[in-house]
Amino acid sequence: MNSSQRKLSVLGFRFGMLGIILHVLSLLVASLGFNDFNGNGFSFFNFSLSELGQYGHSQLAVVFNGGLFFGSLSLVLFCLFSLQRCDRPLLYPCLLLLILAMLSLAITGLFPINVYHLHTLGIEYFFYFSLLSIGCYLGYLWQGARLAGNPPKRFAYQGSSVLSLLCIAVFGLFVFLAQVDSSLINSGQAFYHGMMMIEPRPEFWWPAILEWLALLLFLGWSAALVWTQRPMRD
């Protein structure tokens, strides 16, 4: 790796790690400081992502929304630097779609649920673009294995296929449920509207659990991708 490539690697890695840290820290701080209108603390089992960032409902909404916004923009910079180090053709659409996913997540933080339509649009496209990006990444792994029997080295990590497939399954399920009226939430209501508005909720509310599972898996997948670009690896 020459000096120019090393600089790109260092910058991409630093911005990527900064983005992951901002996401995780803002999530932890906002969830620990949360109390709903009834004085109950936050639970990943029956509160949605949107409620954690809802002004007037979440005391530290600005922390969570700021983490979503600035953390996502930092990961966009990681992708831009990484585009210059791609070692397989399918990695280009993977990173470009990841940029769109991160911009959608940034919109989710910039426009909280108080700005309903822009917020839900950001979440919707975050799931679409993330699903496509991870799908391209799986193609990248397959492509590397097919070319001269040489698996990709620069953006692959141990367990990458398993984690990617798990993300595909969870994201795919969320997207599928968002497109059908399964009557499991509110018959005739849009999926995300239903999971936000229905009351009372059970202790274990599966739409919220599915949403958080998808987000946490995505952050884990992104963190592993960023970790492959640590300078000492090449």
Side-chain angles (χ1 to χ4, degrees):
M1 182 169 59
N2 58 40
S3 60
S4 177
Q5 290 177 324
R6 181 170 293 278
K7 289 179 181 178
L8 291 173
S9 178
V10 170
L11 286 171
F13 177 74
R14 288 178 178 175
F15 277 113
M17 290 307 299
L18 176 63
I20 297 297
I21 291 170
L22 286 174
H23 276 292
V24 173
L25 278 181
S26 64
L27 173 58
L28 289 176
V29 171
S31 60
L32 290 174
F34 180 89
N35 282 295
D36 67 5
F37 297 120
N38 298 317
N40 298 316
F42 182 79
S43 172
F44 288 98
F45 299 117
N46 56 20
F47 285 106
S48 68
L49 178 155
S50 298
E51 289 166 298
L52 193 57
Q54 182 178 3
Y55 294 114
H57 184 57
S58 173
Q59 289 85 344
L60 297 175
V62 66
V63 174
F64 182 64
N65 292 328
L68 284 181
F69 182 73
F70 291 108
S72 297
L73 293 185
S74 292
L75 285 166
V76 167
L77 291 174
F78 160 74
C79 293
L80 291 174
F81 285 116
S82 297
L83 277 169
Q84 303 174 66
R85 303 192 69 235
C86 289
D87 57 347
R88 293 289 188 272
L90 270 176
L91 195 58
Y92 288 102
C94 169
L95 292 173
L96 289 171
L97 287 164
L98 185 55
I99 288 173
L100 294 175
M102 288 293 100
L103 290 175
S104 299
L105 197 57
I107 288 173
T108 301
L110 183 62
F111 301 104
I113 192 62
N114 307 78
V115 189
Y116 180 80
H117 295 291
L118 290 174
H119 179 81
T120 54
L121 193 66
I123 289 180
E124 180 181 0
Y125 280 97
F126 165 69
F127 274 87
Y128 292 152
F129 289 133
S130 297
L131 183 62
L132 292 172
S133 176
I134 298 168
C136 288
Y137 182 75
L138 282 171
Y140 161 77
L141 296 176
W142 175 83
Q143 186 182 50
R146 292 275 296 178
L147 292 176
N150 183 28
K153 296 179 180 179
R154 189 166 289 168
F155 287 84
Y157 51 88
Q158 187 174 8
S160 53
S161 297
V162 175
L163 182 56
S164 299
L165 286 170
L166 188 57
C167 288
I168 287 284
V170 175
F171 272 81
L173 180 59
F174 193 95
V175 168
F176 172 75
L177 290 173
Q179 300 302 317
V180 299
D181 176 17
S182 60
S183 299
L184 293 175
I185 302 176
N186 279 343
S187 181
Q189 294 280 1
F191 178 79
Y192 203 73
H193 178 85
M195 69 175 287
M196 280 291 299
M197 302 304 174
I198 190 170
E199 294 288 351
R201 298 180 193 174
E203 184 179 356
F204 296 98
W205 184 223
W206 67 265
I209 295 173
L210 185 61
E211 182 187 36
W212 283 115
L213 180 60
L215 180 63
L216 294 176
L217 281 172
F218 178 79
L219 289 177
W221 179 82
S222 300
L225 194 64
V226 170
W227 190 247
T228 66
Q229 297 309 290
R230 62 193 187 278
M232 70 286 295
R233 189 172 187 261
D234 287 336

